[in-house]
Amino acid sequence: MSFDEEMIILRWFTLKDANFSSVAELLSILDETERSRATRFRFERDRFAYVAAHALKRSLLAKHSSSAPQELRFTSGAHGKPELVAEQNDRGLRFSISHCVGMVAVAMLVGADIGIDVESSRREWTLDVAESFLSAEELAAVLELSESARARALASTWTLKEAFVKAIGTGLSHPLDSLTMRPEPLSISFAPLDAGEARDWSFRHYQPDGEHLIALAVRRPAAKVDAKSISWQPGRFDVR
């Protein structure tokens, strides 16, 4: 199915809206590796979020490829970042997924690095934690804020940085305090690394409900985003 190849596709699903009789419907489209990983989660809510995220990933990618969701195969690219195998990806689709308690999200585009992070807005932040991922410039700015504004700033900075390191494929092995997010305009600065120039990157923030934050990072300036929530229809995600 065709779509604007300059457009980022962002879809999220709120798990509290789910009416699945069981996770069997979702597990049926995952591969053996994904199903095995799902069994390792101690809590049912975390297992359900993982399964839903990977089922949504497959559903969205299948819509824009010639394969059924359960037929898609993945490999590891640079730094172990998952990618569609080449023979199923002649369009150069790139994707990122994220899940937390209550929400899953997937972002996809053609031909550029992309990362997404979704977090609960109820997460509590302490300065001890903040010091582990803020740059000196960010920490100084945060300390000048009121308590409520500080919590919002920390949540925003964390999700944006997570999205960025997922986009470049390093994940949290990259020291987050070596990155600096600036809010106006929303941008990043970093020491030299294999991520191009800071001006090559664009960022978005979404608050789809009162309980979650979504951050998006893409190595494409001024990227257009088609962002919306999706629903569950009997037996499938409605990924229009």
Side-chain angles (χ1 to χ4, degrees), residues 18-209:
N19 57 358
F20 310 114
S21 58
S22 71
V23 297
E25 295 169 303
L26 298 176
L27 284 168
S28 67
I29 69 171
L30 304 192
D31 64 20
E32 183 176 349
T33 298
E34 291 164 334
R35 289 194 292 269
S36 176
R37 288 174 179 166
T39 65
R40 301 173 191 171
F41 287 92
R42 179 179 179 186
F43 298 108
E44 180 67 21
R45 66 182 188 183
D46 298 326
R47 183 169 72 95
F48 183 46
Y50 172 89
V51 170
H54 285 268
L56 177 55
K57 168 197 71 179
R58 287 176 169 272
S59 299
L60 188 60
L61 289 169
K63 179 183 176 182
H64 300 288
S65 71
S66 58
S67 300
Q70 63 271 24
E71 295 172 346
L72 293 174
R73 292 179 290 118
F74 300 90
T75 187
S76 296
H79 306 291
K81 187 177 181 181
E83 300 175 354
L84 272 174
V85 295
E87 56 266 33
Q88 293 181 328
N89 195 23
D90 56 352
R91 302 180 67 184
L93 293 170
R94 310 291 292 275
F95 67 90
S96 182
I97 75 173
S98 185
H99 56 87
C100 69
V101 175
M103 180 167 285
V104 301
V106 179
M108 179 190 75
L109 82 167
V110 172
D113 292 327
I114 189 168
I116 190 173
D117 186 49
V118 56
E119 296 282 350
S120 170
S121 58
R122 297 181 179 180
R123 179 173 177 175
E124 294 185 0
W125 301 92
T126 65
L127 283 179
D128 286 343
V129 172
E131 288 172 352
S132 71
F133 70 86
L134 294 181
S135 67
E137 177 183 328
E138 290 168 332
L139 182 59
V142 160
L143 290 175
E144 295 180 356
L145 299 174
S146 66
E147 186 173 344
S148 59
R150 181 181 299 170
R152 291 192 298 270
L154 291 175
S156 173
T157 303
W158 172 267
T159 53
L160 289 164
K161 288 188 176 186
E162 272 241 12
F164 177 75
V165 296
K166 289 175 73 172
I168 63 175
T170 59
L172 293 178
S173 65
H174 187 93
L176 297 184
D177 59 359
S178 70
L179 311 170
T180 297
M181 299 301 309
R182 296 192 173 95
E184 296 181 6
L186 189 53
S187 59
I188 193 171
S189 65
F190 47 77
L193 59 103
D194 186 21
E197 301 291 331
R199 63 175 177 270
D200 296 334
W201 290 85
S202 59
F203 298 87
R204 299 285 192 283
H205 239 156
Y206 301 88
Q207 190 164 5
D209 57 23

